[in-house]
Amino acid sequence: MAEAEEALRTLAHNVRAARTRAGLSLDELGRRAKVSKGALVGLEKAQGNPNFATLVRLADTLGVSVSALMEGPAEGRVRVVTAGAVMPLWTGERGSEARLMLTTSSPAPVEVWRWQLAPGDACPSHPHQAGVVETVSVTAGEMILEVDGTEHPVEAGQTATFDGNAPHTYRGSGTETCHLIMTVHLPPGPAGTADGR
């Protein structure tokens, strides 16, 4: 429980800092990100439990990566992260989950995600900022990648990439859980930097 509380305090600090850097009031951030002011007030006080969609909308609105909202300061030159050390940011009704493993620190950062998609579970996403590119590499099972209303089957051993500025959905298909690695390539510059600067 202490880890979850610490993660929430880190998130609260990072959201408040990014909002301040962006010069946005709670009202304006809420309006742009489509999050209630009450939820934002609670979040900045390290209260509540924001869902994955809320975190993505806040990150996009603030022009930072999701991990820039989640991570504390860098701890050294090499980071090794195990899946068990990272809480799922999304869970599906049938046992699916998505874990943001890490984000590289560079002018054009890359988020690395580990997903499990049970057959029939789906995770829809709204369009991201221009310049975001997502890549999925399926390591086991199969999935349907839907981008802008068109379905693309992707199975073990295949990799797909697309511009993230269109509505998209990840959906498990077949008879077994789909395992995949997703990378989110963020654009360089102020909107893409992992630390929000």
Side-chain angles (χ1 to χ4, degrees):
M1 191 63 161
E3 286 182 9
E5 290 172 1
E6 180 60 31
L8 193 54
R9 282 193 298 272
T10 298
L11 175 63
H13 172 269
N14 291 344
V15 168
R16 189 171 38 254
R19 180 177 64 78
T20 300
R21 277 194 307 271
L24 296 175
S25 67
L26 285 166
D27 287 325
E28 185 62 15
L29 176 58
R31 185 186 67 73
R32 291 184 187 184
K34 298 181 178 141
V35 176
S36 74
K37 181 179 178 181
L40 286 174
V41 168
L43 179 58
E44 289 195 4
K45 290 182 177 179
Q47 299 169 347
N49 186 17
N51 64 30
F52 176 62
T54 297
L55 292 175
V56 170
R57 285 195 310 271
L58 286 171
D60 281 349
T61 302
L62 292 167
V64 298
S65 66
V66 172
S67 62
L69 297 180
M70 303 293 300
E71 294 178 349
E75 297 178 8
R77 283 182 81 177
V78 176
R79 280 186 295 162
V80 177
V81 181
T82 60
V86 181
M87 298 294 292
L89 290 180
W90 172 80
T91 54
E93 295 177 3
R94 298 177 177 159
S96 300
E97 64 179 34
R99 295 174 189 255
L100 176 58
M101 300 304 295
L102 60 84
T103 301
T104 62
S105 55
S106 65
V110 177
E111 295 177 349
V112 179
W113 294 76
R114 180 174 290 185
W115 287 70
Q116 294 178 23
L117 282 172
D121 256 352
C123 180
S125 180
H126 71 286
H128 302 300
Q129 63 179 312
V132 171
V133 176
E134 295 192 21
T135 301
V136 293
S137 294
V138 175
T139 59
E142 52 192 90
M143 66 173 288
I144 299 294
L145 169 64
E146 183 179 323
V147 179
D148 211 10
T150 302
E151 293 186 349
H152 307 274
V154 187
E155 59 188 44
Q158 294 183 322
T159 299
T161 188
F162 63 96
D163 292 333
N165 62 347
H168 50 282
T169 299
Y170 296 119
R171 185 171 53 252
S173 62
T175 58
E176 63 184 62
T177 298
C178 177
H179 295 264
L180 64 106
I181 302 296
M182 176 182 78
T183 58
V184 179
H185 303 261
L186 302 166
T193 57
D195 64 5
R197 285 186 239 148

